[in-house]
Amino acid sequence: LRDRMPELDVHVATDHTGEPVTALLKGKIDVALLTTAEVPKGRGLHEAPLFADEIVFVVGARHPLAKARHVTRQLLESEPLITGNTPPAEARWFHASVFGRRRPKLQFLHFALTEGIMDAARAGMGIAVLSEWVASQYLGQRDLRLLRLPSGPLRRPWRIAYRGEAEPAAERLRAVLLAEVPSLHARPAE
């Protein structure tokens, strides 16, 4: 991307992670990578699909679930779920995707950093919930176990959204991201 557009100024604005569409609409950012946030029509924003990643579940090697083949919805209801500071739209997507219309009372442990999430899982404090491509970086030392739902992969679609004036840079960024889909097993967007 830098070779094709040397004048491009890239700044990762993590302070807008919770409300990226609002930041786009206010002109605070030009491009955002989205999962579940809605992009309003007719407000000068454009969006395009990128890829789908998989949400997985991770437990410590000594956790009672470490020998399980899958993690069931009932088990997710009985253990604390260890997550990051998840935006509300993402939490709603997770609930709907995993539990459908049911709204079980879930326990959560929130950590700002991935290392904290993984350390809490390693310590047996609950079940970590995160993207497969993030979890994969921590799975090589045999102290963590990856689990999935018995119903199959929990896929989360990603999109790129951008202001009209940022279209050339956004489309080039999209091409780069599509060429480097982050996953243990590359999966196309659905």
Side-chain angles (χ1 to χ4, degrees), residues 108-130:
F108 288 95
L109 297 174
H110 297 280
F111 291 87
L113 300 175
T114 304
E115 287 77 13
I117 295 169
M118 301 313 283
D119 285 345
R122 192 175 286 114
M125 296 173 65
I127 302 170
V129 181
L130 64 168

Side-chain angles (χ1 to χ4, degrees), residues 63 65 71-81 99 104-107 125-127:
H63 191 282
L65 293 176
V71 62
T72 65
R73 288 162 178 79
Q74 292 77 20
L75 289 171
L76 292 174
E77 292 177 41
S78 68
E79 292 274 337
L81 302 180
F99 299 102
K105 184 160 175 63
L106 302 174
Q107 304 169 59
M125 296 173 65
I127 302 170

Side-chain angles (χ1 to χ4, degrees), residues 3-58:
D3 290 341
R4 294 181 191 157
M5 300 181 77
E7 74 285 355
L8 185 65
D9 180 28
V10 176
H11 174 74
V12 179
T14 57
D15 48 326
H16 298 296
T17 301
E19 295 290 336
V21 175
T22 300
L24 281 168
L25 289 168
K26 291 182 176 181
K28 293 182 177 183
I29 59 174
D30 295 318
V31 177
L33 303 181
L34 307 176
T35 54
T36 55
E38 295 291 324
V39 176
K41 304 290 184 216
R43 301 281 306 269
L45 300 181
H46 306 275
E47 67 178 313
L50 286 172
F51 52 82
D53 66 352
E54 181 182 357
I55 300 299
V56 295
F57 305 92
V58 177

Side-chain angles (χ1 to χ4, degrees), residues 73-106:
R73 288 162 178 79
Q74 292 77 20
L75 289 171
L76 292 174
E77 292 177 41
S78 68
E79 292 274 337
L81 302 180
I82 308 166
T83 69
N85 296 322
T86 308
E90 187 88 8
R92 285 190 300 275
W93 172 86
F94 176 80
H95 274 86
S97 298
V98 174
F99 299 102
R101 292 181 169 212
R102 287 186 48 239
R103 291 288 176 250
K105 184 160 175 63
L106 302 174

